[in-house]
Amino acid sequence: QVQLVESGGGLVQAGESLRLSCAASISIGSIDAMGWYRQAPGKQRELVATVTGGSSTNYADSVKGRFTISRDIPNYTVYLQMNSLKPEDTAVYYCFAFVLLRDYWGQGTRVTVSS
């Protein structure tokens, strides 16, 4: 069982930055992949960014060049640095982890970007 706890969401203005954190209950070095999804009101959940155990990263086209996912292995934490935020980035952001063919999810953290 893997517990994930997100933090760092909030209300910001367009153009500002936020950093989301996802703390795992196990060493993230043993996790196959981690990342972030988001879900805006009335929309389907969207994959935002992923990082694999080999440190390969992948981003949604809508966030490329603005968001950066990174791992802090000693502290069991994955970050999502979000720069140049836009109103369309408003959503609940969920951290996930894929371990031994199972997926685990955090409770979500809300990001609101005002114009």
Side-chain angles (χ1 to χ4, degrees):
Q1 192 77 4
V2 179
Q3 281 81 46
L4 303 172
V5 179
E6 301 109 327
S7 61
L11 171 63
V12 297
Q13 293 187 334
E16 294 184 340
S17 299
L18 278 176
R19 189 177 75 162
L20 305 183
S21 301
C22 176
S25 59
I26 66 171
S27 171
I28 62 174
S30 63
I31 295 176
D32 300 312
M34 292 185 73
W36 297 87
Y37 274 79
R38 67 186 180 186
Q39 188 164 21
K43 295 188 177 181
Q44 290 189 328
R45 193 170 289 194
E46 172 191 26
L47 179 62
V48 177
T50 60
V51 58
T52 69
S55 297
S56 296
T57 58
N58 189 49
Y59 297 93
D61 288 342
S62 58
V63 306
K64 281 181 182 176
R66 299 188 298 122
F67 290 12
T68 303
I69 189 169
S70 62
R71 302 189 302 166
D72 180 354
I73 294 176
N75 290 305
Y76 296 12
T77 301
V78 169
Y79 298 103
L80 185 67
Q81 178 67 42
M82 306 186 295
N83 298 329
S84 302
L85 282 161
K86 304 175 180 180
E88 50 264 44
D89 295 318
T90 295
V92 178
Y93 285 70
Y94 297 91
C95 177
F96 76 92
F98 193 67
V99 184
L100 297 176
L101 302 180
R102 287 192 59 181
D103 57 309
Y104 300 88
W105 295 85
Q107 80 287 353
T109 185
R110 186 175 301 276
V111 173
T112 304
V113 184
S114 63
S115 57

